[in-house]
Amino acid sequence: MKEIRVRFAPSPTGPLHIGGVRTALYNYLFAKKNGGKMLLRIEDTDQTRFVPGAEDYIIKSLDWCGIKFDESDIVGGPYGPYKQSNRKHLYKQYSDELIAKGHAYYAFDTAEELDNLRKEAEAQKKTFIYNAETRQELRNSLTMTKEDVDELLADGTPYTVRFMMPENHIVEMHDIIRGDIKVNTNTLDDKVLFKSDGMPTYHLANIVDDHLMKISHVIRGEEWLPSMPLHVLLYQAFGWESPEFAHLPLLLKPDGNGKLSKRDGDRLGFPVFPMQWENPETHEISSGYKQSGYYAEAFINMLALLGWNPGTEQEIFSMDELIQAFSFDHCSKSGARFNVEKAKWFNHEYLMRRSSEEVGAEYKEWLKSEKNIDADIQYVTKVAALVKDRVNFVKEMWDQSFFFFEEPTTYDEVTVKKRWKENSADLMRQASEVIRNIDDFSAENIEKVLNEWITGNELGMGPVMNGLRLMLVGAGKGPHIHEILALVGKEEALKRIEKGVEVLK
Ligand code: GLU
């Protein structure tokens, strides 16, 4: 069997959108599942769209996601360099080859001339297409004598090399996800492949590199489907075996109306980028999954299921499990709707599955950086054990546990109104005495002693517990009272009760 070799080929024109991360992920899963290789190729031939920092951002983001490459300019490999601008010298010979074989030609039309033709066509409610119908009337090597062409080239006249799209020909193709596809070439144009500045366009560089790098499967987003006929024809023109193609479904906006775009994210209240991105020109910040508190595993698990399903009810997959389960048989043709609630749910699931020690360590760091609290790791670990199941993100733990780190300074009005009764102050003073006399201050023992006292004196569970909660937390939330008592400790608890009674009595 042919060796499986896939590539992720981003253009560094900005931050990587989560749709791009998913493309990289499916390439990775497919390669690993089939014992193949995955390479990273930077497609930077369009210098006008170059954005500083984008390449570095893409590499760091994929690394954070746990998508590892077998070949790239960083890890090396036998087919490098893996950045197209460093392969510039390679492409001209292929452009020349196509011209020599009669599959491409020189065109000398200026941008201005083409623009005018477009405008003229528009005025007649038509679209101008550079193809078999129009090429015979334009300034190119098909309409000029060889001498004229040679002279223009010798003079250094700017030119492009265009693919000669066959006329009225049906291109028959196969896509792994979409099945058989047929396209009539009359709907296609003579795409530019190469320019006189020595740079190939995306189409030529992409095909040449896929061939030279022995790519077996081209797995990419649906937005590249319209390029597939040209690419297939280019392989035929060169006489090369074409790789197999799989075009992945689009990621849609949450309402299903259209493609999830780079602009949607912060507008709709969730990140569309794996990591935070700062626009190098405007310094505008776009949020990222990493900085928003998502675990990479949760993010990847969520993305994997946008466009693919395992065919079972299982939803939680480690990267290794994804590799084992992945196949194109369960990839859908139709777009996958992004769902931010589901994304949070995944993070919650991963947070719950982490040990209290791990979450505690993360929370300790958060407390230091966000609240300037230097907490003891053992203490934070115990707090984490109590509240981690109640939140989606580590940063949400504060709201569930602030009272473990600072005494209440206010008492929630609604809770006070509802829970603080005539006899509450008195009840709290009595509870204080009971608590003061508990020697074994473990949660279990506290619970036992308080329960015995409450039932023995027919005090009612509600009034005592609600009152204590108000004293200890300042609000009507938090874990079990005996857990809170045990963790904050006897002295601190007594202090809080005394203060609360003073304020509310
Ligand atoms: N450079 C293209 C991109 O930015 C690659 C498309 C392809 O995979 O062929 O998406």
Side-chain angles (χ1 to χ4, degrees), residues 112-131 133-134 137-138:
E112 215 182 343
E113 285 166 355
L114 293 174
D115 220 37
N116 285 338
L117 288 167
R118 265 180 225 116
K119 283 190 190 132
E120 272 171 39
E122 242 168 68
Q124 298 171 36
K125 302 232 173 325
K126 288 188 197 145
T127 4
F128 167 73
I129 305 183
Y130 209 125
N131 66 3
E133 215 180 292
T134 55
E137 275 128 50
L138 296 163

Side-chain angles (χ1 to χ4, degrees), residues 173-221:
M173 303 167 284
H174 183 78
D175 182 277
I176 298 172
I177 296 172
R178 280 143 219 284
D180 293 331
I181 305 171
K182 285 183 192 168
V183 171
N184 187 310
T185 52
N186 285 356
T187 62
L188 307 171
D189 64 339
D190 291 359
K191 278 269 181 299
V192 173
L193 302 176
F194 193 82
K195 297 191 201 134
S196 45
D197 65 1
M199 271 298 199
T201 60
Y202 153 73
H203 299 291
L204 182 69
N206 185 272
I207 265 52
V208 167
D209 285 345
D210 279 349
H211 172 70
L212 295 178
M213 295 177 182
K214 299 201 163 51
I215 297 303
S216 65
H217 292 76
V218 168
I219 304 163
R220 60 187 176 189

Side-chain angles (χ1 to χ4, degrees), residues 6-273:
V6 301
R7 81 313 192 259
F8 181 56
S11 300
T13 55
L16 187 62
H17 175 268
I18 54 175
V21 180
R22 192 200 50 180
T23 298
L25 176 64
Y26 285 15
N27 270 285
Y28 179 72
L29 297 178
F30 178 73
K32 297 296 126 187
K33 168 77 185 265
N34 295 290
K37 295 237 159 61
M38 153 112 158
L39 61 90
L40 174 67
R41 185 173 72 226
I42 303 295
E43 300 206 324
D44 59 347
T45 55
D46 189 351
Q47 303 281 320
T48 60
R49 295 180 62 213
F50 175 79
V51 173
E55 181 182 337
D56 189 47
Y57 172 93
I58 292 168
I59 291 169
K60 287 204 174 99
S61 295
L62 295 170
D63 191 55
W64 175 67
C65 291
I67 297 172
K68 307 264 180 277
F69 293 94
D70 300 296
E71 294 172 28
S72 73
D73 276 341
I74 295 165
V75 299
Y79 300 96
Y82 293 90
K83 193 200 285 216
Q84 288 181 330
S85 56
N86 293 335
R87 303 169 62 79
K88 197 177 152 190
H89 58 283
L90 267 164
Y91 304 106
K92 186 168 186 302
Q93 66 186 93
Y94 294 99
S95 167
D96 290 347
E97 181 182 336
L98 288 179
I99 298 171
K101 286 180 166 170
H103 290 298
Y105 58 90
Y106 292 106
F108 298 97
D109 320 87
T110 63
E112 215 182 343
E113 285 166 355
L114 293 174
D115 220 37
N116 285 338
L117 288 167
R118 265 180 225 116
K119 283 190 190 132
E120 272 171 39
E122 242 168 68
Q124 298 171 36
K125 302 232 173 325
K126 288 188 197 145
T127 4
F128 167 73
I129 305 183
Y130 209 125
N131 66 3
E133 215 180 292
T134 55
R135 67 168 83 104
Q136 295 301 340
E137 275 128 50
L138 296 163
R139 295 208 307 129
N140 55 49
S141 55
L142 305 170
T143 60
M144 295 174 171
T145 63
K146 182 160 183 322
E147 288 69 41
D148 287 346
V149 172
D150 287 346
E151 208 181 299
L152 285 174
L153 292 177
D155 285 351
T157 316
Y159 67 84
T160 60
V161 174
R162 286 182 179 269
F163 183 67
M164 191 146 82
M165 190 54 80
E167 193 174 357
N168 199 22
H169 167 77
I170 307 288
V171 191
E172 299 198 18
M173 303 167 284
H174 183 78
D175 182 277
I176 298 172
I177 296 172
R178 280 143 219 284
D180 293 331
I181 305 171
K182 285 183 192 168
V183 171
N184 187 310
T185 52
N186 285 356
T187 62
L188 307 171
D189 64 339
D190 291 359
K191 278 269 181 299
V192 173
L193 302 176
F194 193 82
K195 297 191 201 134
S196 45
D197 65 1
M199 271 298 199
T201 60
Y202 153 73
H203 299 291
L204 182 69
N206 185 272
I207 265 52
V208 167
D209 285 345
D210 279 349
H211 172 70
L212 295 178
M213 295 177 182
K214 299 201 163 51
I215 297 303
S216 65
H217 292 76
V218 168
I219 304 163
R220 60 187 176 189
E222 183 179 321
E223 63 272 27
W224 297 103
L225 194 56
S227 300
M228 187 176 168
L230 170 65
H231 293 182
V232 167
L233 289 170
L234 277 170
Y235 283 104
Q236 289 171 5
F238 281 116
W240 296 336
E241 189 190 342
S242 159
E244 291 191 51
F245 288 90
H247 287 91
L248 307 174
L250 293 176
L251 285 192
L252 304 177
K253 293 185 208 299
D255 63 8
N257 276 326
K259 186 178 158 187
L260 188 62
S261 82
K262 290 194 178 188
R263 276 164 294 280
D264 281 332
D266 289 321
R267 187 177 66 81
L268 297 174
F270 56 84
V272 283
F273 301 123

